[in-house]
Amino acid sequence: MIIRQMREAGLKAQVFGGDLSVLEFWKITGKAGEGTMYAFPRDPRKAPDAKEVLKKLEKSGVVIDGYTLYGYAAAQVLAQAMQKTDSTDPGKVANIIHKEKFKTVLGPWSFDKKGDVENIHQVIFRWHNGEYVEVGK
């Protein structure tokens, strides 16, 4: 809404924000969102291992935005960790997550001491014609 109101007021400043990878952004801003930029990890829909999952999700009618495949990968990590520990105990599961690597739809994931995924790299995106496109690192 703020971007739309800025444009309506005649302000043409370049907007650069945090994560704006959800499709609702364009629904709310419309053409006023054109050119808005943000940082986010690489587009997960382009991951080589994601093709099959994307087909299944699309067939099921799931809306695939910036978080969909990251959520899917996180669920894969959780399932694998519970399998490896043969437990749903949060302490045991968290302990194995911090120590192991996991095969996900987005490639191998491992975690640092804080619990952040180690191999996710931020890039810059720009909204154009209702879609976000990667513009650089």
Side-chain angles (χ1 to χ4, degrees):
M1 286 292 279
I2 292 172
I3 293 172
R4 197 171 73 203
Q5 292 169 345
M6 286 171 51
R7 300 300 182 239
E8 289 169 357
L11 185 60
K12 298 184 184 335
Q14 173 65 57
V15 177
F16 190 99
D19 171 27
L20 297 173
S21 66
V22 291
L23 301 176
E24 283 79 18
F25 173 80
W26 192 263
K27 288 179 184 175
I28 293 168
T29 64
K31 291 182 180 182
E34 182 70 31
T36 299
M37 299 171 73
Y38 66 96
F40 195 69
R42 291 199 179 282
D43 189 342
R45 298 171 297 182
K46 295 179 181 177
D49 294 338
K51 290 179 185 177
E52 193 61 37
V53 172
L54 283 169
K55 286 180 189 176
K56 288 179 184 178
L57 292 173
E58 287 170 353
K59 191 174 184 180
S60 298
V62 173
V63 175
I64 301 166
D65 63 18
Y67 285 107
T68 306
L69 290 174
Y70 285 104
Y72 191 95
Q76 288 180 304
V77 168
L78 181 60
Q80 290 171 52
M82 289 189 302
Q83 216 170 27
K84 288 180 180 192
T85 60
D86 194 28
S87 175
T88 58
D89 177 89
K92 290 179 182 178
V93 172
N95 188 43
I96 200 78
I97 287 174
H98 284 287
K99 292 179 180 177
E100 303 268 336
K101 286 189 177 183
F102 300 89
K103 184 178 190 280
T104 77
V105 68
L106 300 177
W109 273 18
S110 59
F111 299 84
D112 64 19
K113 291 179 184 177
K114 296 184 297 182
D116 295 328
V117 179
E118 291 185 310
N119 63 338
I120 292 182
H121 305 286
Q122 299 283 317
V123 295
I124 305 299
F125 289 89
R126 176 182 287 129
W127 276 95
H128 178 64
N129 287 332
E131 297 182 357
Y132 49 90
V133 293
E134 186 176 324
V135 295
K137 297 179 182 180

